[in-house]
mmCIF file of all heavy atoms in Angstrom:
data_model
loop_
_atom_site.group_PDB
_atom_site.id
_atom_site.type_symbol
_atom_site.label_atom_id
_atom_site.label_comp_id
_atom_site.label_asym_id
_atom_site.label_seq_id
_atom_site.Cartn_x
_atom_site.Cartn_y
_atom_site.Cartn_z
ATOM 1 N N LEU R 45 -17.216 1.429 5.928
ATOM 2 C CA LEU R 45 -17.789 0.183 5.407
ATOM 3 C C LEU R 45 -19.067 -0.215 6.131
ATOM 4 O O LEU R 45 -19.758 -1.142 5.692
ATOM 5 C CB LEU R 45 -16.761 -0.943 5.515
ATOM 6 C CG LEU R 45 -15.600 -0.856 4.523
ATOM 7 C CD1 LEU R 45 -14.531 -1.879 4.864
ATOM 8 C CD2 LEU R 45 -16.092 -1.072 3.093
ATOM 9 N N ILE R 48 -21.389 1.678 3.376
ATOM 10 C CA ILE R 48 -21.208 1.459 1.932
ATOM 11 C C ILE R 48 -20.454 0.159 1.708
ATOM 12 O O ILE R 48 -19.501 -0.152 2.428
ATOM 13 C CB ILE R 48 -20.446 2.635 1.283
ATOM 14 C CG1 ILE R 48 -21.217 3.942 1.460
ATOM 15 C CG2 ILE R 48 -20.225 2.380 -0.208
ATOM 16 C CD1 ILE R 48 -20.555 5.140 0.837
ATOM 17 N N ASP R 49 -20.866 -0.602 0.700
ATOM 18 C CA ASP R 49 -20.218 -1.870 0.378
ATOM 19 C C ASP R 49 -18.780 -1.644 -0.081
ATOM 20 O O ASP R 49 -18.456 -0.580 -0.645
ATOM 21 C CB ASP R 49 -20.996 -2.595 -0.722
ATOM 22 C CG ASP R 49 -22.363 -3.042 -0.247
ATOM 23 O OD1 ASP R 49 -22.430 -3.701 0.792
ATOM 24 O OD2 ASP R 49 -23.362 -2.712 -0.923
ATOM 25 N N PRO R 50 -17.897 -2.641 0.117
ATOM 26 C CA PRO R 50 -16.464 -2.450 -0.180
ATOM 27 C C PRO R 50 -16.158 -2.035 -1.614
ATOM 28 O O PRO R 50 -15.354 -1.128 -1.837
ATOM 29 C CB PRO R 50 -15.865 -3.832 0.131
ATOM 30 C CG PRO R 50 -16.797 -4.442 1.098
ATOM 31 C CD PRO R 50 -18.161 -3.947 0.736
ATOM 32 N N LEU R 51 -16.784 -2.688 -2.584
ATOM 33 C CA LEU R 51 -16.461 -2.357 -3.971
ATOM 34 C C LEU R 51 -16.904 -0.945 -4.318
ATOM 35 O O LEU R 51 -16.175 -0.198 -4.979
ATOM 36 C CB LEU R 51 -17.116 -3.364 -4.925
ATOM 37 C CG LEU R 51 -16.675 -4.822 -4.796
ATOM 38 C CD1 LEU R 51 -17.313 -5.662 -5.899
ATOM 39 C CD2 LEU R 51 -15.168 -4.939 -4.851
ATOM 40 N N ASN R 52 -18.102 -0.568 -3.879
ATOM 41 C CA ASN R 52 -18.587 0.777 -4.180
ATOM 42 C C ASN R 52 -17.764 1.835 -3.460
ATOM 43 O O ASN R 52 -17.518 2.920 -4.007
ATOM 44 C CB ASN R 52 -20.059 0.907 -3.790
ATOM 45 C CG ASN R 52 -20.980 0.227 -4.787
ATOM 46 O OD1 ASN R 52 -20.697 0.197 -5.979
ATOM 47 N ND2 ASN R 52 -22.073 -0.344 -4.298
ATOM 48 N N LEU R 53 -17.326 1.546 -2.236
ATOM 49 C CA LEU R 53 -16.504 2.512 -1.509
ATOM 50 C C LEU R 53 -15.169 2.710 -2.205
ATOM 51 O O LEU R 53 -14.699 3.850 -2.375
ATOM 52 C CB LEU R 53 -16.286 2.031 -0.073
ATOM 53 C CG LEU R 53 -15.398 2.928 0.798
ATOM 54 C CD1 LEU R 53 -16.033 4.296 0.984
ATOM 55 C CD2 LEU R 53 -15.141 2.269 2.158
ATOM 56 N N THR R 54 -14.539 1.611 -2.622
ATOM 57 C CA THR R 54 -13.257 1.707 -3.312
ATOM 58 C C THR R 54 -13.393 2.469 -4.621
ATOM 59 O O THR R 54 -12.558 3.305 -4.969
ATOM 60 C CB THR R 54 -12.694 0.301 -3.592
ATOM 61 O OG1 THR R 54 -12.682 -0.450 -2.383
ATOM 62 C CG2 THR R 54 -11.275 0.389 -4.140
ATOM 63 N N THR R 55 -14.462 2.163 -5.357
ATOM 64 C CA THR R 55 -14.675 2.830 -6.645
ATOM 65 C C THR R 55 -14.915 4.323 -6.464
ATOM 66 O O THR R 55 -14.339 5.153 -7.186
ATOM 67 C CB THR R 55 -15.864 2.191 -7.376
ATOM 68 O OG1 THR R 55 -15.599 0.801 -7.584
ATOM 69 C CG2 THR R 55 -16.096 2.872 -8.720
ATOM 70 N N ALA R 56 -15.753 4.685 -5.504
ATOM 71 C CA ALA R 56 -16.024 6.108 -5.260
ATOM 72 C C ALA R 56 -14.746 6.840 -4.875
ATOM 73 O O ALA R 56 -14.485 7.961 -5.344
ATOM 74 C CB ALA R 56 -17.068 6.251 -4.157
ATOM 75 N N ARG R 57 -13.939 6.191 -4.051
ATOM 76 C CA ARG R 57 -12.692 6.815 -3.608
ATOM 77 C C ARG R 57 -11.768 7.095 -4.776
ATOM 78 O O ARG R 57 -11.219 8.201 -4.903
ATOM 79 C CB ARG R 57 -12.013 5.892 -2.595
ATOM 80 C CG ARG R 57 -10.668 6.385 -2.117
ATOM 81 C CD ARG R 57 -9.973 5.312 -1.301
ATOM 82 N NE ARG R 57 -8.621 5.728 -0.966
ATOM 83 C CZ ARG R 57 -7.664 4.894 -0.594
ATOM 84 N NH1 ARG R 57 -7.904 3.597 -0.529
ATOM 85 N NH2 ARG R 57 -6.457 5.343 -0.309
ATOM 86 N N ALA R 96 -6.370 -1.742 -8.550
ATOM 87 C CA ALA R 96 -7.671 -2.376 -8.341
ATOM 88 C C ALA R 96 -7.552 -3.572 -7.407
ATOM 89 O O ALA R 96 -8.301 -3.694 -6.436
ATOM 90 C CB ALA R 96 -8.265 -2.799 -9.684
ATOM 91 N N ASN R 99 -6.512 -2.500 -3.625
ATOM 92 C CA ASN R 99 -7.502 -1.721 -2.898
ATOM 93 C C ASN R 99 -8.825 -2.459 -2.723
ATOM 94 O O ASN R 99 -9.452 -2.385 -1.657
ATOM 95 C CB ASN R 99 -7.719 -0.374 -3.587
ATOM 96 C CG ASN R 99 -6.541 0.553 -3.407
ATOM 97 O OD1 ASN R 99 -6.324 1.094 -2.329
ATOM 98 N ND2 ASN R 99 -5.755 0.742 -4.456
ATOM 99 N N LEU R 100 -9.264 -3.190 -3.744
ATOM 100 C CA LEU R 100 -10.505 -3.948 -3.605
ATOM 101 C C LEU R 100 -10.359 -5.049 -2.555
ATOM 102 O O LEU R 100 -11.222 -5.226 -1.690
ATOM 103 C CB LEU R 100 -10.912 -4.552 -4.951
ATOM 104 C CG LEU R 100 -11.429 -3.571 -6.001
ATOM 105 C CD1 LEU R 100 -11.730 -4.301 -7.308
ATOM 106 C CD2 LEU R 100 -12.690 -2.849 -5.509
ATOM 107 N N LEU R 101 -9.254 -5.795 -2.625
ATOM 108 C CA LEU R 101 -9.051 -6.873 -1.664
ATOM 109 C C LEU R 101 -8.882 -6.334 -0.245
ATOM 110 O O LEU R 101 -9.354 -6.942 0.727
ATOM 111 C CB LEU R 101 -7.841 -7.713 -2.062
ATOM 112 C CG LEU R 101 -8.043 -8.627 -3.275
ATOM 113 C CD1 LEU R 101 -6.728 -9.278 -3.679
ATOM 114 C CD2 LEU R 101 -9.095 -9.688 -2.986
ATOM 115 N N ASN R 103 -10.216 -3.539 1.049
ATOM 116 C CA ASN R 103 -11.520 -3.138 1.572
ATOM 117 C C ASN R 103 -12.402 -4.343 1.882
ATOM 118 O O ASN R 103 -13.148 -4.344 2.865
ATOM 119 C CB ASN R 103 -12.224 -2.205 0.580
ATOM 120 C CG ASN R 103 -11.847 -0.749 0.800
ATOM 121 O OD1 ASN R 103 -10.957 -0.447 1.584
ATOM 122 N ND2 ASN R 103 -12.500 0.153 0.101
ATOM 123 N N LEU R 104 -12.327 -5.374 1.040
ATOM 124 C CA LEU R 104 -13.083 -6.594 1.325
ATOM 125 C C LEU R 104 -12.558 -7.259 2.599
ATOM 126 O O LEU R 104 -13.333 -7.775 3.415
ATOM 127 C CB LEU R 104 -12.989 -7.558 0.148
ATOM 128 C CG LEU R 104 -13.790 -7.171 -1.101
ATOM 129 C CD1 LEU R 104 -13.394 -8.042 -2.281
ATOM 130 C CD2 LEU R 104 -15.290 -7.285 -0.837
ATOM 131 N N MET R 211 -12.168 -1.174 -11.207
ATOM 132 C CA MET R 211 -13.007 -1.096 -10.009
ATOM 133 C C MET R 211 -14.446 -0.757 -10.373
ATOM 134 O O MET R 211 -15.401 -1.322 -9.815
ATOM 135 C CB MET R 211 -12.461 -0.027 -9.058
ATOM 136 C CG MET R 211 -11.092 -0.308 -8.482
ATOM 137 S SD MET R 211 -10.536 1.100 -7.475
ATOM 138 C CE MET R 211 -8.757 0.894 -7.551
ATOM 139 N N LEU R 212 -14.614 0.177 -11.305
ATOM 140 C CA LEU R 212 -15.953 0.584 -11.718
ATOM 141 C C LEU R 212 -16.700 -0.585 -12.353
ATOM 142 O O LEU R 212 -17.886 -0.811 -12.060
ATOM 143 C CB LEU R 212 -15.862 1.758 -12.699
ATOM 144 C CG LEU R 212 -17.184 2.349 -13.193
ATOM 145 C CD1 LEU R 212 -18.009 2.874 -12.023
ATOM 146 C CD2 LEU R 212 -16.922 3.468 -14.204
ATOM 147 N N ALA R 213 -16.015 -1.343 -13.205
ATOM 148 C CA ALA R 213 -16.639 -2.506 -13.835
ATOM 149 C C ALA R 213 -17.037 -3.541 -12.786
ATOM 150 O O ALA R 213 -18.132 -4.129 -12.856
ATOM 151 C CB ALA R 213 -15.679 -3.119 -14.857
ATOM 152 N N ALA R 214 -16.163 -3.775 -11.808
ATOM 153 C CA ALA R 214 -16.460 -4.743 -10.755
ATOM 154 C C ALA R 214 -17.659 -4.295 -9.920
ATOM 155 O O ALA R 214 -18.525 -5.108 -9.558
ATOM 156 C CB ALA R 214 -15.235 -4.936 -9.862
ATOM 157 N N SER R 215 -17.730 -3.006 -9.619
ATOM 158 C CA SER R 215 -18.844 -2.488 -8.817
ATOM 159 C C SER R 215 -20.161 -2.587 -9.561
ATOM 160 O O SER R 215 -21.187 -2.996 -8.987
ATOM 161 C CB SER R 215 -18.581 -1.033 -8.422
ATOM 162 O OG SER R 215 -17.509 -0.936 -7.524
ATOM 163 N N ILE R 216 -20.148 -2.239 -10.842
ATOM 164 C CA ILE R 216 -21.374 -2.317 -11.638
ATOM 165 C C ILE R 216 -21.856 -3.762 -11.716
ATOM 166 O O ILE R 216 -23.052 -4.053 -11.578
ATOM 167 C CB ILE R 216 -21.134 -1.742 -13.045
ATOM 168 C CG1 ILE R 216 -20.900 -0.225 -12.957
ATOM 169 C CG2 ILE R 216 -22.321 -2.037 -13.963
ATOM 170 C CD1 ILE R 216 -20.510 0.412 -14.280
ATOM 171 N N GLY R 217 -20.911 -4.690 -11.929
ATOM 172 C CA GLY R 217 -21.281 -6.099 -11.996
ATOM 173 C C GLY R 217 -21.827 -6.607 -10.672
ATOM 174 O O GLY R 217 -22.831 -7.344 -10.634
ATOM 175 N N ALA R 218 -21.181 -6.228 -9.567
ATOM 176 C CA ALA R 218 -21.634 -6.675 -8.242
ATOM 177 C C ALA R 218 -23.008 -6.112 -7.909
ATOM 178 O O ALA R 218 -23.847 -6.798 -7.314
ATOM 179 C CB ALA R 218 -20.620 -6.265 -7.183
ATOM 180 N N ASP R 219 -23.253 -4.861 -8.297
ATOM 181 C CA ASP R 219 -24.573 -4.271 -8.067
ATOM 182 C C ASP R 219 -25.634 -4.973 -8.912
ATOM 183 O O ASP R 219 -26.761 -5.204 -8.458
ATOM 184 C CB ASP R 219 -24.550 -2.778 -8.416
ATOM 185 C CG ASP R 219 -23.752 -1.958 -7.417
ATOM 186 O OD1 ASP R 219 -23.548 -2.437 -6.291
ATOM 187 O OD2 ASP R 219 -23.311 -0.851 -7.782
ATOM 188 N N TRP R 223 -24.905 -8.698 -5.388
ATOM 189 C CA TRP R 223 -23.890 -8.986 -4.375
ATOM 190 C C TRP R 223 -23.729 -7.805 -3.418
ATOM 191 O O TRP R 223 -23.460 -7.956 -2.236
ATOM 192 C CB TRP R 223 -22.569 -9.336 -5.062
ATOM 193 C CG TRP R 223 -21.493 -9.756 -4.115
ATOM 194 C CD1 TRP R 223 -21.655 -10.327 -2.876
ATOM 195 C CD2 TRP R 223 -20.077 -9.642 -4.306
ATOM 196 N NE1 TRP R 223 -20.444 -10.576 -2.296
ATOM 197 C CE2 TRP R 223 -19.446 -10.169 -3.152
ATOM 198 C CE3 TRP R 223 -19.280 -9.165 -5.349
ATOM 199 C CZ2 TRP R 223 -18.069 -10.212 -3.009
ATOM 200 C CZ3 TRP R 223 -17.904 -9.218 -5.205
ATOM 201 C CH2 TRP R 223 -17.306 -9.730 -4.058
ATOM 202 N N GLN R 224 -23.883 -6.613 -3.952
ATOM 203 C CA GLN R 224 -23.874 -5.412 -3.139
ATOM 204 C C GLN R 224 -24.900 -4.458 -3.722
ATOM 205 O O GLN R 224 -25.519 -4.754 -4.747
ATOM 206 C CB GLN R 224 -22.484 -4.773 -3.117
ATOM 207 C CG GLN R 224 -22.000 -4.293 -4.467
ATOM 208 C CD GLN R 224 -20.667 -3.544 -4.388
ATOM 209 O OE1 GLN R 224 -19.899 -3.709 -3.458
ATOM 210 N NE2 GLN R 224 -20.418 -2.709 -5.372
#
Side-chain angles (χ1 to χ4, degrees):
L45 288 171
I48 300 181
D49 293 308
L51 298 186
N52 284 327
L53 178 63
T54 308
T55 301
R57 177 189 174 199
N99 288 286
L100 288 177
L101 287 173
N103 272 8
L104 287 168
M211 295 176 205
L212 182 60
S215 292
I216 292 174
D219 289 340
W223 185 26
Q224 63 175 23

